Every structure is written in C-alpha cells, then in structure tokens.
C-alpha cells in the first residue's frame, strides 16, 4: 500500500490555515486564507484527480477533528469528495480516547510509524494524508511516504507552521510532474527515488527549495 502526502504550501513553506482566516489560529497565527485568492478551475480539476485514487486516509488528531466537524454534514450524493471522505477507511494518529464518531475510523496510538509501516504491507491501494503537517513530516522522516502531491501558492505568508523546517525538501524525492494554473498555483508531484538528492520544484526557469 502506498502512502501519499497531499498539502498546500506557500512559497516560504507554510501549510497552516490555507483555507480561511479562522481555520487555524494556534500559536497566534493571523494570516489564514492565503490560498483562497489563487483557487481556480484548473486547480480544482487537478486536486480532484489526485484525490480520486485514495482508498483510505491518514489523519493527525487535529485534522481529523476539523474534517469530522464538516464533511459529515455534506450529504449531496453528487459531491464525490464528500462521499469518498465519509465512506473510506480513516486512520488517526492520536492517543487513545479520541472520539471517532466520523467513521469508519481506526486510532493509531503508540508507535505511529510502526503502525503505518504495517499498513503499507497490508495490501494494495493508496492511503492519503491530507493536511496533517506534523504527521506528514514525521512519516517523511521515517521514509514511509511514497509520493508527495503539493500545491504551492505564489505568496509569502511570513509566519506559521512549515511542512519542512529547513530550506530544502526531504532527500530522496524526485519531481515527476508539474503544472501551473492560470492563477499562478504550482501543482507538483514528487515520488520517492531512494537517492540522496535534495528535492526541488520548478517555477518558470528557477529551481526553488520546498522549505523556507
């Protein structure tokens, strides 16, 4: 089973609060909603294609709770994203005792990396990490992520949590596909290459590191 990380990033590597000003104000973050001005039809088409291959989801506690407060309320049978999120298996990296009313859900407590490594051996399909930056970062560090699908917005946020803490992307990932939307969003796919190179993405003619 493949582990795929999907995330929205600013040019300076911030993933916190892309969708709205009040999405995530932890640690005094005040610049939420930075992705919204760049959302266009081309972006939505690519994201839908990327998400369509999911056979299950991996979440950190906070993202699971945030998604679980919203997606179950979307009952339109024509909303394929809602149907996928509400019906496919969900795995939550959290301490025991978390309420898992948004199911089907399984809590991965204790050694999360070991639990995910076991899931990778359990069958075919694609487990996707949406948001959940801390979880994604830890699984990348543990060499458990097979692919990253990143949306990079042409904006510098200047504060907030970053997916990668230094000035470069994780080693061992290779850029295999990129597309730029009319609004300036860069949609890039990286796959685990197993080498020691530093992953980069390309904006125009310039290689740009994925950190900040």
């Amino acid at each position: 089973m493949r582990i795929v990380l999907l995330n929205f990033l600013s040019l300076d590597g911030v993933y916190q609060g892309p969708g709205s000003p009040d999405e995530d104000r932890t640690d005094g973050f005040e610049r939420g909603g930075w992705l919204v001005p760049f959302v266009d039809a081309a972006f939505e088409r690519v994201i839908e294609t990327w998400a369509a291959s999911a056979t299950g989801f991996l979440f950190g506690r906070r993202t699971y709770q945030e998604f679980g407060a919203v997606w179950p309320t979307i009952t339109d049978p024509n909303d394929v994203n809602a149907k996928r999120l509400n019906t496919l298996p969900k795995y939550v990296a959290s301490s025991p005792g978390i309420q898992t009313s948004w199911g089907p859900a399984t809590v991965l407590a204790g050694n999360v990396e070991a639990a995910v490594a076991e899931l990778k051996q359990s069958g075919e399909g694609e487990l996707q990490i949406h948001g959940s930056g801390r979880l994604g970062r830890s699984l990348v560090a543990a060499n458990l992520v097979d692919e990253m699908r990143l949306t990079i917005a042409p904006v510098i946020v200047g504060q907030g949590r970053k997916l990668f803490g230094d000035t470069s992307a994780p080693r061992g990932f290779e850029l295999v596909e990129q597309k730029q939307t009319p609004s300036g969003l860069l949609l890039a796919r990286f796959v685990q290459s197993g080498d020691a190179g530093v992953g980069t993405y390309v904006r125009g003619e310039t290689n740009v590191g994925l950190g900040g």
Side-chain angles (χ1 to χ4, degrees):
M1 187 171 292
R2 302 177 71 247
I3 307 297
V4 179
L5 171 64
L6 290 84
N7 223 310
F8 304 138
L9 298 178
S10 66
L11 280 178
D12 52 342
V14 175
Y15 72 86
Q16 186 172 357
S20 72
D22 295 322
E23 179 180 353
D24 183 356
R25 290 184 175 272
T26 56
D27 303 320
F29 185 66
E30 299 178 344
R31 299 179 183 178
W34 46 266
L35 179 72
V36 174
F38 305 101
V39 171
D40 56 20
F43 159 80
E44 292 176 344
R45 286 194 298 270
V46 173
I47 292 297
E48 172 60 30
T49 300
W50 283 357
S53 55
T55 55
F57 299 97
L58 285 169
F59 293 110
R61 175 191 55 79
R62 177 182 294 148
T63 304
Y64 172 80
Q65 291 174 331
E66 290 173 351
F67 277 36
V70 175
W71 286 103
T73 68
I74 302 174
T75 57
D76 181 355
N78 296 317
D79 191 320
V80 293
N81 286 326
K83 182 177 181 180
R84 191 177 295 117
L85 282 161
N86 288 327
T87 60
L88 290 177
K90 290 166 275 289
Y91 299 89
V92 188
S94 178
S95 57
I98 183 176
Q99 296 296 316
T100 53
S101 56
W102 183 41
T106 301
V107 176
L108 305 180
N111 189 331
V112 173
E113 288 82 3
V116 172
E118 186 174 344
L119 284 172
K120 281 174 65 73
Q121 303 301 317
S122 65
E124 301 297 324
E126 183 174 294
L127 290 180
Q128 293 187 353
I129 308 166
H130 287 238
S132 302
R134 291 189 178 96
L135 173 63
R137 190 165 56 241
S138 69
L139 296 182
V140 167
N143 200 33
L144 291 170
V145 172
D146 299 287
E147 181 174 334
M148 299 189 299
R149 299 172 190 165
L150 304 179
T151 300
I152 300 101
V155 62
I156 294 176
V157 177
Q159 69 168 159
R161 294 191 299 275
K162 297 183 178 182
L163 188 59
F164 309 117
D166 59 12
T167 57
S168 62
R171 296 180 182 274
F173 282 89
E174 177 183 357
L175 175 68
V176 295
E177 181 183 3
Q178 64 175 347
K179 179 180 294 186
Q180 192 161 24
T181 74
S183 68
L185 289 172
L186 187 71
L187 299 116
R189 289 179 54 236
F190 297 82
V191 297
Q192 178 64 257
S193 64
D195 61 30
V198 175
T200 58
Y201 65 80
V202 180
R203 176 171 292 282
E205 300 297 323
T206 305
N207 289 338
V208 184
L210 285 179

